Amino acid sequence: MTIRVLLADDQTLVREAFAMLVDSARDMAVVGQAATGRQAVELARGARADLVVMDIRMPDLDGIEATRLIAADEDLAGVRVLVLTTYDTDENIVDALRAGASGFLVKDTRPAELLDAIRTVAAGESLLSPGPTARLIERFLRSPTAPATGGPECLSDREREVLTLVARGLNNTEIAEGLGLSPLTAKTHVSRIMGKLAVRDRAQLVIVAYESGMVTPGSI
């Protein structure tokens, strides 16, 4: 199956470089390029993209608002968003995750890592790692904006354990090993937690865990 990728960045050279790289992979193809967030939303609808590589800082409509529009559109329910960030300077990355992005990618990432990131997010996983992601969320999560989700009080004790491990960046196999479960059971727990909390992916589970105090800054 070919992953249909839409590239959204206001810098032409960045888009072209990413396009050459993506098109060089046998399992993916660039189906469009957008210079603004509004163009990204329109092309996501028209080009039938599977995944949008979305810059945060763009004219007309920034990447956060564009991500929010894509995530809220029922016709685009299968479209995943991977946001681009300069990491140390983008304080909006948590807002992007709240808006529906499935993870973030550092702009100076190595070519092979970009392709792996696209495959990971397109497969329905979130691009979250225990170290950098946790530190970034710890740094910028403190805001008055409340999440548009249910709280973890509706979860069972086992589900709360699983959610804590998700927030620490563990994948299903690692969760299964840590709790003495089968990988399938761990995956089932994660799916049920997402359903109870009304979130679309693991990235938003991390946000819920931090905002609820289940995982606290400095604990990772």
Side-chain angles (χ1 to χ4, degrees):
M1 182 180 295
T2 300
I3 303 170
R4 299 171 60 84
V5 180
L6 170 63
L7 302 173
D9 195 296
D10 62 338
Q11 298 181 45
T12 303
L13 288 177
V14 173
R15 290 200 315 272
E16 293 295 338
F18 281 177
M20 291 178 62
L21 176 63
V22 171
D23 280 333
S24 71
R26 294 183 179 181
D27 59 342
M28 58 188 73
V30 175
V31 295
Q33 296 187 37
T36 70
R38 199 170 303 280
Q39 288 179 3
V41 176
E42 293 171 354
L43 285 175
R45 292 174 179 146
R48 295 185 295 114
D50 298 314
L51 180 143
V52 183
V53 178
M54 181 84 74
D55 188 19
I56 290 181
R57 302 165 188 267
M58 289 186 291
D60 186 22
L61 189 72
D62 66 31
I64 295 173
E65 290 304 316
T67 297
R68 185 172 288 113
L69 290 175
I70 290 173
D73 192 328
E74 293 183 358
D75 293 334
L76 300 177
V79 179
R80 312 280 289 182
V81 176
L82 177 62
V83 298
L84 289 172
T85 174
T86 51
Y87 189 63
D88 286 332
T89 58
D90 278 337
E91 300 184 7
N92 295 318
I93 188 64
V94 171
D95 288 333
L97 294 175
R98 283 197 184 107
S102 295
F104 70 89
L105 186 70
V106 181
K107 266 195 171 182
D108 62 355
T109 190
R110 291 178 295 181
E113 291 175 342
L114 169 61
L115 298 180
D116 285 343
I118 290 173
R119 294 185 183 102
T120 297
V121 173
E125 296 293 331
S126 297
L127 194 68
L128 299 172
S129 59
T133 301
R135 288 195 298 271
L136 190 65
I137 290 175
E138 287 174 8
R139 185 178 173 190
F140 299 123
L141 192 57
R142 305 293 185 175
S143 79
T145 303
T149 63
E153 62 274 3
C154 65
L155 303 179
S156 68
D157 290 342
R158 173 63 83 186
E159 288 168 342
R160 290 171 67 87
E161 287 180 317
V162 172
L163 176 56
T164 299
L165 295 180
V166 170
R168 296 180 186 279
L170 274 64
N171 60 33
N172 291 340
T173 300
E174 292 166 337
I175 291 171
E177 292 174 352
L179 297 179
L181 307 172
S182 71
L184 179 59
T185 300
K187 181 179 180 180
T188 299
H189 278 308
V190 173
S191 297
R192 286 177 180 170
I193 293 168
M194 287 194 288
K196 286 185 177 182
L197 298 181
V199 301
R200 57 185 274 159
D201 58 27
R202 298 169 82 100
Q204 293 191 325
L205 284 182
V206 174
I207 296 296
V208 171
Y210 272 89
E211 289 185 318
S212 67
M214 289 185 63
V215 177
T216 58
S219 65
I220 295 180

